[in-house]
Amino acid sequence: MPEPSWSSVDRYIIDTFHLSDPVLEETLRSSAAAGLPSIQVSPPQGKFLHLLVRLLGAKRVLEIGTLGGYSATWMARALPPGGKLITLELEPRHAEVARKNLERAGVGKVVDVRVGRAVETLPTLGPEGPFDLVFIDADKEGYPDYFDWAVRLARPGSALVFDNIIREGAVLDPAHPDPRVRAVRLLNERMSSDPRVSATEVQTVGGKKWDGFALAVVQRPGP
Ligand code: SAH
Ligand code: DHB
Ligand code: MG
């Protein structure tokens, strides 16, 4: 038997757990047709986010980095009646594609795509929180700032998830020339020593190669 590749194992998981459907496929197809980069989460990761929303009983979810709305669709499908997902996107074109995809997926009413730089939108979101789950998947240079905003917009017991915190192991190099890698290292330093959260990171392989995600849970106030 040939040695299985990470992608073929992902394919097996997708098939076995039925992690694709015509609506999600159409979201990927229309995003690619519009020229969006194919950097959305994988189907198993999308289902993982979906299950996190359910585990948390999340009613208010915040996403930073919409792209074509693929991860947003997975999360929105897990919301209870009255639930709401706000997703922040820099590129108007991405937002436009996402809105069409979300509408087609039947979650257009529960997902609100806000266009602009996340650092400018985040300070406006206080009245719409607190958020039960924040999924951070936009520009990596912004991760340290997004961490701080996410904690402030959350409540005790909320979860923060960051995508792409391993990047093929690049994170090991403290002098890495790529500012995105240095930003993720700064995020890790802050997140690991911040008494407001308890956090860990999990490495992953699959269709998205070798990468990983961070999970932080906001602490309940001490005595
Ligand atoms: N979460 C999506 C993938 C997001 S890709 C999914 O899994 O389906 C990252 C997105 O972040 C891109 O669409 C990019 O345009 C957006 N982005 C980059 N910089 C940003 C910023 N400063 N503010 C908001 N969005 C940004
Ligand atoms: C890139 C960004 C992502 O969020 C991702 O999941 C994969 C790749 C990128 O910018 O290359
Ligand atoms: Mg990502």
Side-chain angles (χ1 to χ4, degrees):
M1 183 173 155
E3 193 160 320
S5 68
W6 296 339
S7 283
S8 51
V9 174
D10 249 10
R11 176 46 56 195
Y12 164 79
I13 297 168
I14 292 163
D15 291 344
T16 305
F17 289 87
H18 314 293
L19 302 183
S20 189
D21 62 49
V23 170
L24 289 167
E25 285 304 309
E26 185 52 32
T27 289
L28 295 177
R29 220 181 348 262
S30 82
S31 300
L36 271 50
S38 183
I39 55 174
Q40 66 284 333
V41 297
S42 69
Q45 290 168 340
K47 180 69 182 278
F48 190 91
L49 292 168
H50 172 96
L51 292 174
L52 268 184
V53 173
R54 283 181 49 184
L55 266 176
L56 289 158
K59 285 195 88 169
R60 281 172 293 233
V61 177
L62 174 63
E63 176 178 70
I64 310 180
T66 315
L67 194 64
Y70 183 79
S71 53
T73 299
W74 271 112
M75 292 190 285
R77 284 175 167 186
L79 287 170
K84 185 103 203 154
L85 167 62
I86 297 177
T87 179
L88 314 185
E89 174 55 53
L90 173 67
E91 299 290 341
R93 251 178 38 76
H94 295 187
E96 190 188 318
V97 172
R99 285 191 184 113
K100 285 200 185 110
N101 284 334
L102 293 159
E103 198 63 49
R104 193 190 311 105
V107 293
K109 294 249 179 341
V110 298
V111 183
D112 195 349
V113 184
R114 306 263 168 99
V115 179
R117 293 176 61 216
V119 281
E120 277 156 32
T121 312
L122 285 163
T124 71
L125 295 179
E128 296 176 271
F131 295 93
D132 307 303
L133 170 66
V134 185
F135 175 51
I136 295 131
D137 190 20
D139 56 309
K140 314 311 161 197
E141 292 91 330
Y143 274 25
D145 283 340
Y146 301 157
F147 168 67
D148 203 51
W149 276 111
V151 174
R152 290 156 66 173
L153 292 166
R155 53 155 179 86
S158 293
L160 321 180
V161 175
F162 292 80
D163 193 25
N164 311 117
I165 44 79
I166 301 294
R167 293 308 267 278
E168 312 258 355
V171 71
L172 277 185
D173 181 359
H176 203 285
D178 187 337
R180 296 175 298 182
V181 174
R182 293 202 303 274
V184 169
R185 287 182 60 91
L186 181 60
L187 166 75
N188 289 339
E189 278 162 37
R190 292 195 186 162
M191 191 162 52
S192 59
S193 60
D194 191 321
R196 297 175 300 172
V197 299
S198 180
T200 189
E201 296 184 339
V202 176
Q203 302 185 63
T204 56
V205 293
K208 315 283 301 188
K209 300 198 270 187
W210 176 23
D211 213 321
F213 59 87
L215 174 65
V217 173
V218 179
Q219 302 278 40
R220 318 227 169 238

